[in-house]
PDB file of all heavy atoms in Angstrom:
ATOM      1  N   GLY A 157      -3.363  14.545   0.375  1.00 94.00           N
ATOM      2  CA  GLY A 157      -2.741  15.710  -0.310  1.00 94.00           C
ATOM      3  C   GLY A 157      -2.367  15.436  -1.703  1.00 94.00           C
ATOM      4  O   GLY A 157      -1.628  16.136  -2.295  1.00 94.00           O
ATOM      5  N   GLY A 158      -2.820  14.266  -2.291  1.00 96.00           N
ATOM      6  CA  GLY A 158      -2.465  13.893  -3.608  1.00 96.00           C
ATOM      7  C   GLY A 158      -3.197  14.712  -4.610  1.00 96.00           C
ATOM      8  O   GLY A 158      -4.182  15.203  -4.410  1.00 96.00           O
ATOM      9  N   VAL A 159      -2.443  15.101  -5.661  1.00 96.00           N
ATOM     10  CA  VAL A 159      -2.875  16.024  -6.805  1.00 96.00           C
ATOM     11  C   VAL A 159      -3.020  15.159  -8.053  1.00 96.00           C
ATOM     12  O   VAL A 159      -1.979  14.445  -8.286  1.00 96.00           O
ATOM     13  CB  VAL A 159      -1.871  17.201  -6.976  1.00 96.00           C
ATOM     14  CG1 VAL A 159      -2.354  17.994  -8.219  1.00 96.00           C
ATOM     15  CG2 VAL A 159      -1.832  17.998  -5.753  1.00 96.00           C
ATOM     16  N   GLN A 160      -4.172  15.147  -8.585  1.00 94.00           N
ATOM     17  CA  GLN A 160      -4.235  14.261  -9.815  1.00 94.00           C
ATOM     18  C   GLN A 160      -3.361  14.938 -10.906  1.00 94.00           C
ATOM     19  O   GLN A 160      -3.294  16.085 -11.063  1.00 94.00           O
ATOM     20  CB  GLN A 160      -5.775  14.444 -10.310  1.00 94.00           C
ATOM     21  CG  GLN A 160      -6.666  13.653  -9.420  1.00 94.00           C
ATOM     22  CD  GLN A 160      -8.123  13.477  -9.987  1.00 94.00           C
ATOM     23  OE1 GLN A 160      -8.277  13.630 -11.213  1.00 94.00           O
ATOM     24  NE2 GLN A 160      -9.117  13.206  -9.104  1.00 94.00           N
ATOM     25  N   ARG A 161      -2.841  13.973 -11.717  1.00 92.00           N
ATOM     26  CA  ARG A 161      -1.788  14.410 -12.740  1.00 92.00           C
ATOM     27  C   ARG A 161      -2.301  13.733 -14.051  1.00 92.00           C
ATOM     28  O   ARG A 161      -1.627  12.876 -14.523  1.00 92.00           O
ATOM     29  CB  ARG A 161      -0.462  13.991 -12.377  1.00 92.00           C
ATOM     30  CG  ARG A 161       0.106  14.645 -11.177  1.00 92.00           C
ATOM     31  CD  ARG A 161       0.222  16.097 -11.310  1.00 92.00           C
ATOM     32  NE  ARG A 161       0.893  16.593 -12.435  1.00 92.00           N
ATOM     33  CZ  ARG A 161       2.230  17.045 -12.493  1.00 92.00           C
ATOM     34  NH1 ARG A 161       2.893  17.193 -11.378  1.00 92.00           N
ATOM     35  NH2 ARG A 161       2.785  17.373 -13.591  1.00 92.00           N
ATOM     36  N   PRO A 162      -3.291  14.361 -14.795  1.00 86.00           N
ATOM     37  CA  PRO A 162      -3.728  13.846 -15.903  1.00 86.00           C
ATOM     38  C   PRO A 162      -2.609  13.912 -17.152  1.00 86.00           C
ATOM     39  O   PRO A 162      -2.761  13.306 -18.115  1.00 86.00           O
ATOM     40  CB  PRO A 162      -5.005  14.563 -16.337  1.00 86.00           C
ATOM     41  CG  PRO A 162      -4.831  15.879 -15.504  1.00 86.00           C
ATOM     42  CD  PRO A 162      -4.096  15.447 -14.291  1.00 86.00           C
ATOM     43  N   ASP A 163      -1.715  14.742 -16.896  1.00 87.00           N
ATOM     44  CA  ASP A 163      -0.642  14.990 -17.869  1.00 87.00           C
ATOM     45  C   ASP A 163       0.550  13.880 -17.707  1.00 87.00           C
ATOM     46  O   ASP A 163       1.312  13.774 -18.739  1.00 87.00           O
ATOM     47  CB  ASP A 163      -0.018  16.384 -17.646  1.00 87.00           C
ATOM     48  CG  ASP A 163       0.501  16.525 -16.322  1.00 87.00           C
ATOM     49  OD1 ASP A 163      -0.157  16.105 -15.224  1.00 87.00           O
ATOM     50  OD2 ASP A 163       1.652  17.143 -16.115  1.00 87.00           O
ATOM     51  N   TRP A 164       0.398  13.042 -16.716  1.00 83.00           N
ATOM     52  CA  TRP A 164       1.468  12.016 -16.556  1.00 83.00           C
ATOM     53  C   TRP A 164       0.915  10.682 -17.366  1.00 83.00           C
ATOM     54  O   TRP A 164      -0.268  10.533 -17.544  1.00 83.00           O
ATOM     55  CB  TRP A 164       1.665  11.544 -15.095  1.00 83.00           C
ATOM     56  CG  TRP A 164       2.439  12.684 -14.426  1.00 83.00           C
ATOM     57  CD1 TRP A 164       2.793  13.921 -14.767  1.00 83.00           C
ATOM     58  CD2 TRP A 164       2.860  12.565 -13.021  1.00 83.00           C
ATOM     59  NE1 TRP A 164       3.571  14.507 -13.820  1.00 83.00           N
ATOM     60  CE2 TRP A 164       3.562  13.785 -12.682  1.00 83.00           C
ATOM     61  CE3 TRP A 164       2.802  11.626 -12.107  1.00 83.00           C
ATOM     62  CZ2 TRP A 164       4.083  14.010 -11.538  1.00 83.00           C
ATOM     63  CZ3 TRP A 164       3.378  11.735 -10.810  1.00 83.00           C
ATOM     64  CH2 TRP A 164       3.946  12.969 -10.574  1.00 83.00           C
ATOM     65  N   PRO A 165       1.764   9.937 -17.822  1.00 73.00           N
ATOM     66  CA  PRO A 165       1.495   8.770 -18.612  1.00 73.00           C
ATOM     67  C   PRO A 165       0.515   7.860 -17.783  1.00 73.00           C
ATOM     68  O   PRO A 165       0.747   7.586 -16.624  1.00 73.00           O
ATOM     69  CB  PRO A 165       2.784   8.015 -18.856  1.00 73.00           C
ATOM     70  CG  PRO A 165       3.807   9.050 -18.636  1.00 73.00           C
ATOM     71  CD  PRO A 165       3.297  10.050 -17.751  1.00 73.00           C
ATOM     72  N   ALA A 166      -0.466   7.272 -18.538  1.00 68.00           N
ATOM     73  CA  ALA A 166      -1.373   6.357 -17.800  1.00 68.00           C
ATOM     74  C   ALA A 166      -0.874   4.995 -18.077  1.00 68.00           C
ATOM     75  O   ALA A 166      -1.119   4.268 -19.049  1.00 68.00           O
ATOM     76  CB  ALA A 166      -2.847   6.521 -18.559  1.00 68.00           C
ATOM     77  N   HIS A 167      -0.081   4.504 -17.138  1.00 71.00           N
ATOM     78  CA  HIS A 167       0.669   3.289 -17.194  1.00 71.00           C
ATOM     79  C   HIS A 167      -0.332   1.997 -17.378  1.00 71.00           C
ATOM     80  O   HIS A 167       0.002   1.162 -18.106  1.00 71.00           O
ATOM     81  CB  HIS A 167       1.450   2.939 -15.943  1.00 71.00           C
ATOM     82  CG  HIS A 167       2.630   3.841 -15.757  1.00 71.00           C
ATOM     83  ND1 HIS A 167       3.694   3.868 -16.603  1.00 71.00           N
ATOM     84  CD2 HIS A 167       2.874   4.819 -14.819  1.00 71.00           C
ATOM     85  CE1 HIS A 167       4.610   4.758 -16.299  1.00 71.00           C
ATOM     86  NE2 HIS A 167       4.073   5.310 -15.253  1.00 71.00           N
ATOM     87  N   PHE A 168      -1.538   2.193 -16.780  1.00 72.00           N
ATOM     88  CA  PHE A 168      -2.451   0.965 -16.816  1.00 72.00           C
ATOM     89  C   PHE A 168      -3.746   1.323 -17.717  1.00 72.00           C
ATOM     90  O   PHE A 168      -4.548   0.482 -17.778  1.00 72.00           O
ATOM     91  CB  PHE A 168      -2.908   0.590 -15.438  1.00 72.00           C
ATOM     92  CG  PHE A 168      -1.779   0.318 -14.480  1.00 72.00           C
ATOM     93  CD1 PHE A 168      -1.406   1.031 -13.451  1.00 72.00           C
ATOM     94  CD2 PHE A 168      -0.986  -0.812 -14.842  1.00 72.00           C
ATOM     95  CE1 PHE A 168      -0.442   0.659 -12.544  1.00 72.00           C
ATOM     96  CE2 PHE A 168       0.009  -1.259 -14.048  1.00 72.00           C
ATOM     97  CZ  PHE A 168       0.329  -0.357 -12.824  1.00 72.00           C
ATOM     98  N   GLY A 169      -3.568   2.472 -18.447  1.00 74.00           N
ATOM     99  CA  GLY A 169      -4.793   2.626 -19.377  1.00 74.00           C
ATOM    100  C   GLY A 169      -5.681   3.934 -18.899  1.00 74.00           C
ATOM    101  O   GLY A 169      -5.406   4.446 -17.828  1.00 74.00           O
ATOM    102  N   ALA A 170      -6.554   4.247 -19.785  1.00 79.00           N
ATOM    103  CA  ALA A 170      -7.348   5.486 -19.508  1.00 79.00           C
ATOM    104  C   ALA A 170      -8.238   5.386 -18.311  1.00 79.00           C
ATOM    105  O   ALA A 170      -8.693   6.381 -17.806  1.00 79.00           O
ATOM    106  CB  ALA A 170      -8.144   5.748 -20.849  1.00 79.00           C
ATOM    107  N   ASP A 171      -8.443   4.166 -17.804  1.00 88.00           N
ATOM    108  CA  ASP A 171      -9.414   3.959 -16.714  1.00 88.00           C
ATOM    109  C   ASP A 171      -8.728   4.297 -15.381  1.00 88.00           C
ATOM    110  O   ASP A 171      -9.366   3.988 -14.365  1.00 88.00           O
ATOM    111  CB  ASP A 171      -9.986   2.484 -16.616  1.00 88.00           C
ATOM    112  CG  ASP A 171     -11.008   2.300 -17.752  1.00 88.00           C
ATOM    113  OD1 ASP A 171     -11.456   3.260 -18.331  1.00 88.00           O
ATOM    114  OD2 ASP A 171     -11.192   1.131 -18.083  1.00 88.00           O
ATOM    115  N   PHE A 172      -7.440   4.818 -15.364  1.00 90.00           N
ATOM    116  CA  PHE A 172      -6.725   5.014 -14.109  1.00 90.00           C
ATOM    117  C   PHE A 172      -6.226   6.444 -14.077  1.00 90.00           C
ATOM    118  O   PHE A 172      -6.063   7.029 -15.036  1.00 90.00           O
ATOM    119  CB  PHE A 172      -5.397   4.040 -14.147  1.00 90.00           C
ATOM    120  CG  PHE A 172      -5.720   2.662 -13.893  1.00 90.00           C
ATOM    121  CD1 PHE A 172      -6.216   1.838 -15.035  1.00 90.00           C
ATOM    122  CD2 PHE A 172      -5.781   2.041 -12.705  1.00 90.00           C
ATOM    123  CE1 PHE A 172      -6.417   0.490 -14.876  1.00 90.00           C
ATOM    124  CE2 PHE A 172      -6.134   0.737 -12.521  1.00 90.00           C
ATOM    125  CZ  PHE A 172      -6.454  -0.087 -13.595  1.00 90.00           C
ATOM    126  N   THR A 173      -6.190   6.898 -12.801  1.00 92.00           N
ATOM    127  CA  THR A 173      -5.800   8.189 -12.580  1.00 92.00           C
ATOM    128  C   THR A 173      -4.526   8.187 -11.670  1.00 92.00           C
ATOM    129  O   THR A 173      -4.450   7.337 -10.772  1.00 92.00           O
ATOM    130  CB  THR A 173      -6.803   8.984 -11.744  1.00 92.00           C
ATOM    131  OG1 THR A 173      -7.988   9.050 -12.510  1.00 92.00           O
ATOM    132  CG2 THR A 173      -6.321  10.446 -11.383  1.00 92.00           C
ATOM    133  N   THR A 174      -3.468   9.094 -12.000  1.00 93.00           N
ATOM    134  CA  THR A 174      -2.302   9.074 -11.232  1.00 93.00           C
ATOM    135  C   THR A 174      -2.311  10.292 -10.451  1.00 93.00           C
ATOM    136  O   THR A 174      -2.720  11.280 -10.813  1.00 93.00           O
ATOM    137  CB  THR A 174      -0.947   9.153 -12.164  1.00 93.00           C
ATOM    138  OG1 THR A 174      -1.048   8.025 -13.054  1.00 93.00           O
ATOM    139  CG2 THR A 174       0.298   9.149 -11.302  1.00 93.00           C
ATOM    140  N   TYR A 175      -1.976  10.088  -9.080  1.00 95.00           N
ATOM    141  CA  TYR A 175      -1.938  11.136  -8.092  1.00 95.00           C
ATOM    142  C   TYR A 175      -0.347  11.321  -7.816  1.00 95.00           C
ATOM    143  O   TYR A 175       0.354  10.405  -7.713  1.00 95.00           O
ATOM    144  CB  TYR A 175      -2.605  10.841  -6.823  1.00 95.00           C
ATOM    145  CG  TYR A 175      -4.152  10.818  -6.840  1.00 95.00           C
ATOM    146  CD1 TYR A 175      -4.790   9.874  -7.452  1.00 95.00           C
ATOM    147  CD2 TYR A 175      -4.737  12.010  -6.482  1.00 95.00           C
ATOM    148  CE1 TYR A 175      -6.215   9.821  -7.551  1.00 95.00           C
ATOM    149  CE2 TYR A 175      -6.199  11.984  -6.575  1.00 95.00           C
ATOM    150  CZ  TYR A 175      -6.923  10.962  -6.932  1.00 95.00           C
ATOM    151  OH  TYR A 175      -8.238  10.922  -7.101  1.00 95.00           O
ATOM    152  N   HIS A 176      -0.062  12.589  -7.486  1.00 95.00           N
ATOM    153  CA  HIS A 176       1.294  12.919  -7.176  1.00 95.00           C
ATOM    154  C   HIS A 176       1.269  13.428  -5.656  1.00 95.00           C
ATOM    155  O   HIS A 176       0.461  14.222  -5.290  1.00 95.00           O
ATOM    156  CB  HIS A 176       1.877  14.015  -7.979  1.00 95.00           C
ATOM    157  CG  HIS A 176       3.264  14.446  -7.727  1.00 95.00           C
ATOM    158  ND1 HIS A 176       3.627  15.825  -7.617  1.00 95.00           N
ATOM    159  CD2 HIS A 176       4.403  13.869  -7.444  1.00 95.00           C
ATOM    160  CE1 HIS A 176       4.977  15.851  -7.235  1.00 95.00           C
ATOM    161  NE2 HIS A 176       5.397  14.627  -7.273  1.00 95.00           N
ATOM    162  N   PHE A 177       2.034  13.003  -4.803  1.00 95.00           N
ATOM    163  CA  PHE A 177       2.224  13.367  -3.366  1.00 95.00           C
ATOM    164  C   PHE A 177       3.554  13.999  -3.191  1.00 95.00           C
ATOM    165  O   PHE A 177       4.626  13.626  -3.646  1.00 95.00           O
ATOM    166  CB  PHE A 177       2.128  12.203  -2.465  1.00 95.00           C
ATOM    167  CG  PHE A 177       0.843  11.338  -2.634  1.00 95.00           C
ATOM    168  CD1 PHE A 177       0.867  10.216  -3.471  1.00 95.00           C
ATOM    169  CD2 PHE A 177      -0.293  11.743  -2.023  1.00 95.00           C
ATOM    170  CE1 PHE A 177      -0.167   9.574  -3.635  1.00 95.00           C
ATOM    171  CE2 PHE A 177      -1.478  10.927  -2.121  1.00 95.00           C
ATOM    172  CZ  PHE A 177      -1.440   9.815  -3.004  1.00 95.00           C
ATOM    173  N   THR A 178       3.524  15.121  -2.422  1.00 94.00           N
ATOM    174  CA  THR A 178       4.764  15.656  -1.965  1.00 94.00           C
ATOM    175  C   THR A 178       4.816  15.742  -0.468  1.00 94.00           C
ATOM    176  O   THR A 178       3.832  15.771   0.149  1.00 94.00           O
ATOM    177  CB  THR A 178       5.008  17.175  -2.561  1.00 94.00           C
ATOM    178  OG1 THR A 178       3.879  17.906  -2.060  1.00 94.00           O
ATOM    179  CG2 THR A 178       4.943  17.283  -4.114  1.00 94.00           C
ATOM    180  N   LYS A 179       6.026  15.816  -0.034  1.00 91.00           N
ATOM    181  CA  LYS A 179       6.257  15.842   1.466  1.00 91.00           C
ATOM    182  C   LYS A 179       5.443  17.045   2.148  1.00 91.00           C
ATOM    183  O   LYS A 179       4.734  16.983   3.111  1.00 91.00           O
ATOM    184  CB  LYS A 179       7.770  16.017   1.759  1.00 91.00           C
ATOM    185  CG  LYS A 179       8.051  16.212   3.184  1.00 91.00           C
ATOM    186  CD  LYS A 179       9.496  16.194   3.411  1.00 91.00           C
ATOM    187  CE  LYS A 179       9.927  16.355   4.868  1.00 91.00           C
ATOM    188  NZ  LYS A 179      11.357  16.242   5.127  1.00 91.00           N
ATOM    189  N   GLU A 180       5.540  18.194   1.434  1.00 86.00           N
ATOM    190  CA  GLU A 180       4.879  19.372   1.880  1.00 86.00           C
ATOM    191  C   GLU A 180       3.368  19.330   1.989  1.00 86.00           C
ATOM    192  O   GLU A 180       2.704  19.728   2.995  1.00 86.00           O
ATOM    193  CB  GLU A 180       5.219  20.702   1.046  1.00 86.00           C
ATOM    194  CG  GLU A 180       6.686  21.019   1.053  1.00 86.00           C
ATOM    195  CD  GLU A 180       7.552  20.118   0.247  1.00 86.00           C
ATOM    196  OE1 GLU A 180       7.116  19.393  -0.658  1.00 86.00           O
ATOM    197  OE2 GLU A 180       8.732  20.034   0.562  1.00 86.00           O
TER     198      GLU A 180
END
Side-chain angles (χ1 to χ4, degrees):
V159 175
Q160 290 189 23
R161 295 300 305 257
D163 55 320
W164 286 8
H167 292 294
F168 301 117
D171 291 341
F172 290 83
T173 300
T174 301
Y175 287 82
H176 181 228
F177 302 95
T178 61
K179 179 178 182 174
E180 296 75 27

